[in-house]
Amino acid sequence: MQAYTSFARVYDTFMDNVPYEQWGEYVCGLLEEYHIRDALVLELGCGTGSLTEYLAGRGYDMIGIDNSPDMLEIAMEKKRSSGRDILYLMQDMREFELYGTVAAVVSVCDSMNYITSEDELRQVFSLVNNYLDPGGLFLFDLNTVYKYEQLLGDCVIAENREECSFIWENSYFPEEEVNEYDLTIFMREGGGLYRKYEETHFQKAYRLTVIRRLLEEAGMEFVAAYDAFTKEAPKEDSERIYVLAREKGKQRK
């Protein structure tokens, strides 16, 4: 699991097409459906804090965890600008630690796909279960096998902006169900020159049957899976799904 480094500096620029408000509304709707309001919520893989800020603005007491110091630096800048009371922690989600439990854990923007081992994903689920309040909710999204196989795999995406440009080359390996991202970034510096940066990332496609098994092996209760931003069951051509699970095993007070 590689932390974003140079790409962190231009992440928000190239993600400006992501409707974070729509995503936030959807997440809030699901949380409220399970009676989680004005509660302590943890976001795993919070990145530059866009969704963290949104949820904090909706009244949630937020903790954000990410393993990229560069991404968290930008999140802290947003926090200083907004004045919101958000706790950011630089930790690896495979071994994160909290001082107590939370009402819900959320993770979006395919952060879970970055866990490329079933054993490690089970460990993440176990930690989530450990740090949830009794009956607490775990809400996360995933890119699907369909998206990697049919849309991303072996395609090249490029975008040119005045201040920065990137080339995003994808290679999908169906046997391992792993997608390799080779990112080449050109960032404008003084004198009209551009500096080149390169990063490689890996994401794994997980089938819902595997996710359900890993959740249950981690001690959690699988609740539901939805085609992203709907309440409908995932389809064969769903590109992103949301999974809901609950803490299981703790005694309610």
Side-chain angles (χ1 to χ4, degrees):
M1 206 180 159
Q2 180 180 338
Y4 282 110
T5 52
S6 54
F7 191 56
R9 294 167 56 188
V10 294
Y11 183 85
D12 284 343
T13 299
F14 290 118
M15 295 292 281
D16 61 3
N17 62 332
V18 173
Y20 281 110
E21 185 169 338
Q22 176 191 342
W23 289 23
E25 284 287 337
Y26 182 72
V27 169
C28 285
L30 292 174
L31 291 175
E32 291 172 1
E33 182 179 334
Y34 288 87
H35 312 293
I36 300 172
R37 301 180 179 89
D38 303 323
L40 181 58
V41 173
L42 165 67
E43 183 182 3
L44 283 179
C46 63
T48 62
S50 294
L51 183 69
T52 329
E53 285 279 346
Y54 181 86
L55 293 175
R58 289 288 298 266
Y60 292 99
D61 189 6
M62 294 301 301
I63 302 171
I65 286 180
D66 204 278
N67 71 334
S68 168
D70 300 272
M71 298 286 264
L72 288 176
E73 182 179 350
I74 297 168
M76 290 296 292
E77 291 174 2
K78 293 178 182 178
K79 172 184 171 178
R80 286 189 287 270
S81 177
S82 70
R84 295 189 173 112
D85 187 16
I86 300 170
L87 173 63
Y88 285 112
L89 301 172
M90 189 178 71
Q91 296 185 8
D92 189 319
M93 71 174 71
R94 295 168 297 185
E95 50 188 18
F96 73 90
E97 296 181 358
L98 299 176
Y99 291 110
T101 58
V102 298
V105 176
V106 301
S107 185
V108 302
C109 239
D110 39 88
S111 292
M112 291 296 150
N113 291 109
Y114 276 98
I115 308 297
T116 57
S117 155
E118 287 190 15
D119 289 340
E120 291 183 344
L121 189 58
R122 185 189 300 108
Q123 173 66 10
V124 173
F125 292 166
S126 295
L127 287 170
V128 169
N129 196 48
N130 181 59
Y131 286 111
L132 278 173
D133 292 341
L137 190 70
F138 182 28
L139 168 61
F140 61 98
D141 72 1
L142 290 161
N143 280 337
T144 62
V145 174
Y146 170 84
K147 183 173 182 178
Y148 291 116
E149 285 184 340
Q150 303 298 323
L151 302 177
L152 282 182
D154 301 318
C155 80
V156 178
I157 301 169
E159 190 167 339
N160 185 33
R161 305 282 185 98
E162 183 176 348
E163 69 277 16
C164 52
S165 304
F166 80 88
I167 302 170
W168 171 12
E169 299 174 89
N170 294 273
S171 300
Y172 183 68
F173 303 96
E175 290 188 9
E176 297 86 356
E177 295 186 316
V178 169
N179 194 73
E180 177 180 333
Y181 298 85
D182 290 314
L183 293 168
T184 305
I185 306 145
F186 300 90
M187 283 190 266
R188 188 174 185 178
E189 298 187 346
L193 298 178
Y194 287 79
R195 186 177 296 275
K196 178 181 178 182
Y197 298 88
E198 293 179 312
E199 293 185 11
T200 298
H201 297 261
F202 297 91
Q203 286 191 337
K204 182 170 175 61
Y206 288 99
R207 299 177 189 276
L208 185 55
T209 52
V210 174
I211 292 295
R212 183 166 186 163
R213 171 175 59 81
L214 293 177
L215 285 167
E216 293 171 350
E217 289 174 356
M220 301 200 77
E221 175 191 359
F222 174 84
V223 175
Y226 299 129
D227 185 33
F229 315 119
T230 75
K231 296 296 293 293
E232 300 175 1
K235 308 177 181 69
E236 288 188 4
D237 61 351
S238 293
E239 299 177 26
R240 183 183 300 273
I241 64 171
Y242 273 76
V243 178
L244 284 75
R246 269 182 166 165
E247 185 281 333
K248 184 179 176 183
K250 296 189 184 81
Q251 295 295 320
R252 295 177 182 269
K253 294 182 180 180

